[in-house]
Amino acid sequence: QVNLVESGGRVVQAGDSLTLTCDANGDTLRRYSIGWFRQAPGKDREFVAAISWITTVYEDSVKGRFTLSRDNDKNAVHLQMNNVIPEDTAIYYCAAKQDSYLRSGYGYWGQGTQVTVSS
């Protein structure tokens, strides 16, 4: 079983950059597909991006601004967020699963990290 912990969330201004990290213990993340989701106040949780062994996918609103990468040496996954906008404000969660369908069906979740983008 893998345990996930997100970090890196903070208050930033529109146009800034920040990196969220999903650290894992209990298992190696190389065995899993990793997804990032977010939930804004009053809204449903939505898919942001995910990475498998062979591909990376992004939700349309973050494509070209966010980059997802694995850090196998540190057993972590990073979500680089560039040119953030106020609509990116949300709690961001990382999640893990052991198949390659990336947009849903995750069984392991972290506790979330808050990102707030001021205009």
Side-chain angles (χ1 to χ4, degrees):
Q1 179 173 336
V2 64
N3 299 307
L4 306 174
V5 179
E6 304 93 335
S7 63
R10 57 188 175 96
V11 179
V12 294
Q13 293 188 331
D16 284 352
S17 297
L18 75 163
T19 300
L20 304 184
T21 297
C22 178
D23 288 300
N25 58 71
D27 204 347
T28 174
L29 282 185
R30 285 175 289 183
R31 297 180 56 191
Y32 297 84
S33 295
I34 304 300
W36 281 91
F37 293 76
R38 65 186 180 186
Q39 187 166 19
K43 295 187 176 181
D44 292 335
R45 186 172 61 195
E46 66 173 359
F47 172 81
V48 175
I51 186 167
S52 71
W53 305 274
I54 58 174
T55 192
T56 306
V57 296
Y58 299 93
E59 194 268 335
D60 286 347
S61 68
V62 307
K63 201 172 294 184
R65 300 189 298 120
F66 291 9
T67 302
L68 193 54
S69 62
R70 292 184 182 270
D71 186 344
N72 291 331
D73 289 343
K74 295 184 178 179
N75 203 29
V77 170
H78 303 296
L79 181 66
Q80 174 69 38
M81 304 168 61
N82 296 327
N83 194 25
V84 295
I85 59 177
E87 290 77 12
D88 293 326
T89 295
I91 300 173
Y92 283 71
Y93 300 88
C94 70
K97 64 185 307 191
Q98 289 186 297
D99 62 68
S100 58
Y101 182 73
L102 297 178
R103 293 184 177 270
S104 64
Y106 288 81
Y108 302 100
W109 292 84
Q111 83 291 344
T113 186
Q114 176 72 49
V115 173
T116 303
V117 182
S118 61
S119 57

